């Protein structure tokens, strides 16, 4: 669907994006992750044709961005960071204007706007000036704007920034609903968002790609062992350590919390062993009461941190 | 072409949604009306030459005030990014905005038609120069709009856009009056550059292709500058 080759952007002497190559398939929901200033927005701006790459090529379907920018823009719906819209216009007028520019058929225009207002929950604010809307509504108008032409590709730059948890959940729900048939690219620095919404994650740092894969494969790619948290009653740390260190493959046991006779420990296992069965067998042989027992998968957060940490 | 019309309609509509339109039009009518009629009865002549004589100076202040927001506001708010990621070309954006500004100036000139009408009750008014004057005023407004649009595309600050626009329009208007101080060898050229010179020709009722060409080429150069400014931002 989208092929990016050696994409580079310089702002003066500053290299914002450095030879990025990406191949995005139809139907993928791609999360573009990275710390602030990593070049996420610059990449998206080049994909949408707003900025001209210093070097490299972008192809969307059969179109090249430098030769057929209009055709590409017709395929893409784009929500820029913080959705900067015309503040003087009413929501309804604005959506009508976008529909006109997007060349939506006159007869379909009204039903299209109604449908989008329904989908994005805009019905109550249709006749208010955009400048008077709350951030959440503003963002939703931006989303409706981006989806006006039923784009095959939807590009959202930090769609949930500045929203409250309910609004974030709503926006994610919308993304999931439309993501079934469309290619979506989301940039974010909120990791849980990428984990929740995306099926592929690309992490960029200082303008280069440092990781690329599905959320699961990324989790396995860092060769660190599993973490197991166990909460016990009627046990003390010394006895637990004595009992569990005898299992082959346990690297570390540390107490997270110790109150009276209840104890919570974190067990670090050697990569890539799964020791849950063994640990449970040991605990069963004692008179400890098992209150909690779970294994954490390495979260995206740890991967993100280890990949983008300043050297 | 369809999209030019949509952009035009949106920009033109926004003028009248916000108070800018009404403020600018009121001030324009107040200033031109006052200066024209306060001197009108002294001459005891049924023509509106006084109105057209002042027009280049008034317009060089008013037009940049009309055009200053066209790009600067979009750049400031960031909606420029939204505009350019929709399927529109630079030229469509520029022409849509340019036409909106010209149409606004036309709308601003419409109420002034009451001046020649009321004058025609007082004496024999020659309508030739009046028609010529209005054609000239539109051409002048278009040229100044293009200059104001160019100034607006340079900065995200509307005040800077306004001052830059006024500076360029005002110098084009005044260059004609400054000829006295300028070297003789350049006189012909500099006079040709003055907007006032060409406008006063037309407002005498003489539609000379040279004068029309002048306004069209000023518009073209300024709009091309706007286009280059937009290219530069990518």
């Amino acid at each position: 669907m989208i092929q990016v080759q050696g994409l580079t952007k310089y702002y003066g002497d500053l290299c914002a994006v450095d030879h990025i190559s990406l191949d995005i398939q139809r139907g993928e929901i791609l999360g573009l992750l990275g710390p602030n200033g990593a070049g996420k927005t610059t990449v998206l701006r080049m994909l949408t044709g707003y900025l001209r790459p210093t070097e490299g090529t972008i192809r969307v379907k059969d179109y090249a961005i430098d030769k057929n920018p209009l055709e590409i823009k017709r395929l893409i719906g784009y929500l820029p960071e913080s959705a900067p819209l015309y503040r003087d216009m009413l929501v309804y007028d604005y959506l009508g204007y976008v529909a006109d520019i997007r060349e939506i058929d006159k007869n379909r225009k009204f039903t299209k706007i109604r449908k989008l207002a329904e989908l994005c929950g805009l019905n109550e604010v249709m006749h208010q000036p955009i400048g008077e809307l709350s951030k959440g509504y503003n963002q939703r108008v931006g989303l409706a704007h981006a989806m006006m032409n039923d784009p095959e590709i939807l590009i959202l730059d930090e769609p949930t920034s500045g929203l409250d948890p309910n609004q974030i959940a709503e926006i994610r729900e919308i993304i999931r609903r439309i993501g079934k048939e469309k290619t979506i690219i989301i940039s974010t620095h909120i990791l849980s968002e990428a984990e929740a919404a995306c099926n592929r994650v690309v992490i960029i740092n200082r303008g280069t790609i440092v990781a690329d894969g599905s959320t699961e494969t990324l989790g396995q790619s860092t060769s660190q062992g599993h973490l197991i948290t166990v909460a016990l009653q009627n046990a003390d740390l010394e006895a637990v350590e004595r009992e569990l260190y005898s299992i082959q493959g346990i690297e570390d046991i540390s107490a997270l919390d110790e109150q009276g006779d209840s104890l919570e420990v974190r067990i670090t296992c050697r990569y890539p062993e799964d020791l849950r069965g063994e640990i449970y067998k040991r605990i069963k042989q004692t008179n400890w009461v098992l209150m909690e027992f779970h294994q954490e998968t390495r979260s995206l957060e740890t991967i993100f941190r280890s990949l983008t940490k300043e050297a | 072409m369809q999209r030019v019309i949509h952009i035009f309609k949106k920009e033109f509509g926004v003028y009248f949604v916000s108070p800018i339109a009404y403020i600018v039009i009121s001030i324009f009518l107040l200033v031109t009306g006052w200066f024209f009629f306060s001197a009108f009865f002294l001459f005891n002549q049924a023509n509106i030459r006084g109105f057209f004589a002042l027009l280049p100076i008034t317009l060089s202040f008013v037009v940049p005030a009309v055009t200053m927001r066209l790009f600067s506001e979009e750049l400031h708010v960031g909606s420029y990014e939204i505009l350019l990621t929709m399927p529109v070309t630079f030229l469509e954006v520029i022409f849509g905005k340019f036409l909106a500004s010209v149409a606004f100036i036309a709308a601003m000139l419409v109420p002034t038609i009451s001046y020649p009408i009321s004058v025609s009750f007082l004496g024999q008014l020659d309508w030739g120069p009046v028609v010529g004057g209005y054609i000239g005023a539109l051409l002048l407004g278009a040229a100044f709009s293009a200059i104001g649009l160019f100034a607006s595309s340079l900065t995200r600050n509307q005040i800077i856009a306004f001052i830059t626009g006024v500076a360029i329009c005002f110098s084009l208007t005044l260059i004609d009056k400054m000829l006295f101080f300028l070297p003789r060898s350049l006189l012909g050229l500099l006079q040709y550059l003055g907007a006032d010179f060409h406008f006063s020709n037309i407002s005498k009722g003489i539609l000379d292709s040279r004068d029309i060409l002048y306004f069209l080429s000023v518009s073209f150069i300024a709009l091309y500058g706007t286009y280059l400014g937009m290219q530069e931002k990518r």
Side-chain angles (χ1 to χ4, degrees):
Chain A
M1 192 82 184
I2 305 175
Q3 280 115 33
V4 176
Q5 279 282 317
L7 193 65
T8 306
K9 179 76 188 174
Y10 278 90
Y11 293 120
D13 282 341
L14 182 82
C15 181
V17 173
D18 189 9
H19 293 92
I20 279 186
S21 296
L22 262 178
D23 203 342
I24 302 167
Q25 303 300 323
R26 177 184 291 276
E28 269 184 332
I29 304 184
L30 181 115
L32 199 58
L33 286 180
N36 292 330
K40 302 182 293 266
T41 300
T42 308
V43 169
L44 297 187
R45 281 181 171 169
M46 286 191 281
L47 283 179
T48 53
Y50 177 60
L51 289 178
R52 190 173 24 205
T54 313
E55 235 178 80
T57 57
I58 298 170
R59 292 189 70 80
V60 180
K61 280 187 152 177
D62 293 326
Y63 303 117
I65 197 119
D66 44 348
K67 298 213 177 65
N68 311 83
L70 277 194
E71 282 77 4
I72 291 184
K73 285 175 187 176
R74 282 205 188 94
L75 293 172
I76 291 179
Y78 176 45
L79 170 66
E81 202 173 350
S82 75
L85 307 168
Y86 296 114
R87 303 175 53 82
D88 289 333
M89 288 178 97
L90 305 183
V91 174
Y92 179 80
D93 289 345
Y94 178 68
L95 292 179
Y97 165 66
V98 175
D100 285 339
I101 295 247
R102 291 277 188 189
E103 292 167 329
I104 307 277
D105 189 55
K106 270 226 159 51
N107 309 313
R108 279 183 51 237
K109 189 172 129 184
F110 186 67
T111 43
K112 182 76 211 172
I113 292 176
R114 257 249 286 270
K115 235 171 72 189
L116 280 177
E118 197 69 47
L119 179 70
C120 301
L122 288 172
N123 280 327
E124 307 102 83
V125 298
M126 281 309 259
H127 296 285
Q128 279 181 30
I130 293 175
E132 288 173 16
L133 298 180
S134 69
K135 182 116 209 268
Y137 273 118
N138 190 63
Q139 204 76 10
R140 290 193 220 180
V141 177
L143 207 57
H145 149 96
M147 292 190 296
M148 183 57 79
N149 55 334
D150 287 314
E152 292 184 42
I153 301 161
L154 197 57
I155 297 183
L156 309 172
D157 197 353
E158 311 213 349
T160 57
S161 73
L163 303 186
D164 72 39
N166 292 334
Q167 293 168 331
I168 291 180
E170 277 172 37
I171 296 257
R172 267 187 212 158
E173 177 55 35
I174 295 172
I175 291 171
R176 210 168 306 146
R177 228 182 299 161
I178 55 183
K180 280 169 194 144
E181 57 242 57
K182 297 191 192 312
T183 309
I184 302 185
I185 304 173
I186 304 173
S187 96
T188 177
H189 54 247
I190 305 165
L191 300 152
S192 57
E193 183 161 296
E195 261 178 324
C198 305
N199 48 33
R200 179 175 166 196
V201 171
V202 170
I203 301 179
I204 59 176
N205 188 32
R206 295 175 167 206
T208 54
I209 294 181
V210 289
D212 180 358
S214 70
T215 32
E216 297 93 59
T217 52
L218 273 186
Q220 289 153 11
S221 68
T222 51
S223 43
Q224 283 166 306
H226 293 296
L227 287 178
I228 297 171
T229 310
V230 182
L232 298 166
Q233 252 176 19
N234 206 9
D236 63 282
L237 186 61
E238 231 171 274
V240 173
E241 279 183 345
R242 205 176 327 117
E243 191 66 39
L244 295 185
Y245 266 134
S246 62
I247 301 172
Q248 279 287 317
I250 285 189
E251 282 183 339
D252 183 53
I253 297 171
S254 59
L256 291 175
D257 193 19
E258 211 171 351
Q259 269 173 1
D261 61 348
S262 66
L263 174 73
E264 202 178 334
V265 293
R266 166 168 287 167
I267 303 160
T268 312
C269 308
R270 189 186 307 145
Y271 179 78
E273 280 169 274
D274 185 357
L275 301 171
R276 281 175 293 184
E278 195 61 34
I279 293 169
Y280 178 64
K281 266 187 225 154
R282 293 297 173 91
I283 294 173
K284 214 167 77 176
Q285 285 163 13
T286 64
N287 59 347
W288 305 334
V289 185
L290 184 61
M291 305 297 289
E292 206 182 314
F293 186 61
H294 66 91
Q295 173 167 287
E296 292 168 23
T297 43
R298 284 284 178 178
S299 68
L300 207 50
E301 194 167 345
T302 26
I303 304 159
F304 181 82
R305 280 249 251 339
S306 64
L307 287 172
T308 61
K309 216 163 25 190
E310 296 295 311
Chain B
M1 194 57 212
Q2 271 302 310
R3 294 188 294 258
V4 174
I5 294 168
H6 292 311
I7 292 176
F8 161 74
K9 274 203 283 194
K10 181 244 151 198
E11 294 291 350
F12 191 64
V14 166
Y15 276 126
F16 291 93
V17 170
S18 62
I20 325 169
Y22 308 102
I23 295 173
V24 170
I25 291 180
S26 313
I27 292 179
F28 174 73
L29 292 178
L30 216 67
V31 170
T32 54
W34 170 259
F35 279 109
F36 170 51
F37 279 109
S38 63
F40 174 70
F41 293 101
L42 299 178
F43 290 111
N44 206 20
Q45 281 176 358
N47 63 43
I48 59 165
R49 226 178 263 166
F51 166 65
F52 288 126
L54 270 177
L55 209 52
I57 290 179
T58 343
L59 284 186
S60 56
F61 283 97
V62 172
V63 175
V66 173
T67 55
M68 65 181 183
R69 50 164 282 279
L70 287 173
F71 277 107
S72 299
E73 192 181 30
E74 299 229 25
L75 289 169
H76 181 72
V77 176
S79 54
Y80 186 69
E81 187 174 355
I82 285 204
L83 178 66
L84 286 195
T85 48
M86 289 203 279
V88 292
T89 61
F90 284 0
L91 288 182
E92 287 166 343
V93 172
I94 292 172
F95 278 113
K97 285 173 183 284
F98 174 63
L99 289 181
S101 164
V102 174
F104 181 87
I105 288 154
M108 191 169 74
L109 288 170
V110 166
T112 65
I113 292 177
S114 62
Y115 304 166
I117 289 175
S118 45
V119 168
S120 73
F121 290 123
L122 299 172
Q124 274 293 327
L125 178 69
D126 182 1
W127 283 92
V130 176
V131 173
Y134 276 105
I135 294 173
L138 266 187
L139 286 171
L140 184 71
F144 282 1
S145 290
I147 291 169
L149 201 63
F150 169 65
S152 182
S153 76
L154 295 179
T155 168
R156 59 178 57 210
N157 185 326
Q158 293 196 37
I159 298 167
I160 296 178
F162 174 70
I163 293 172
T164 314
V166 168
I168 302 174
C169 295
F170 205 57
S171 348
L172 282 184
T173 308
L174 282 193
I175 204 167
D176 196 32
K177 311 224 172 1
M178 298 287 179
L179 291 176
F180 184 71
F181 303 102
L182 298 169
R184 177 169 292 189
S185 52
L186 292 175
L187 251 159
L189 175 71
L190 290 171
Q191 187 177 39
Y192 186 80
L193 286 180
D196 200 17
F197 169 69
H198 296 279
F199 177 70
S200 63
N201 279 350
I202 296 184
S203 66
K204 279 175 201 146
I206 312 160
L207 279 179
D208 188 335
S209 55
R210 273 175 302 181
D211 301 323
I212 296 174
L213 193 69
Y214 167 81
F215 287 115
L216 293 184
S217 42
V218 169
S219 308
F220 173 78
I221 291 168
L223 292 180
Y224 188 65
T226 315
Y227 176 77
L228 292 182
M230 288 176 82
Q231 282 286 358
E232 178 62 31
K233 287 191 185 63
R234 290 185 72 196

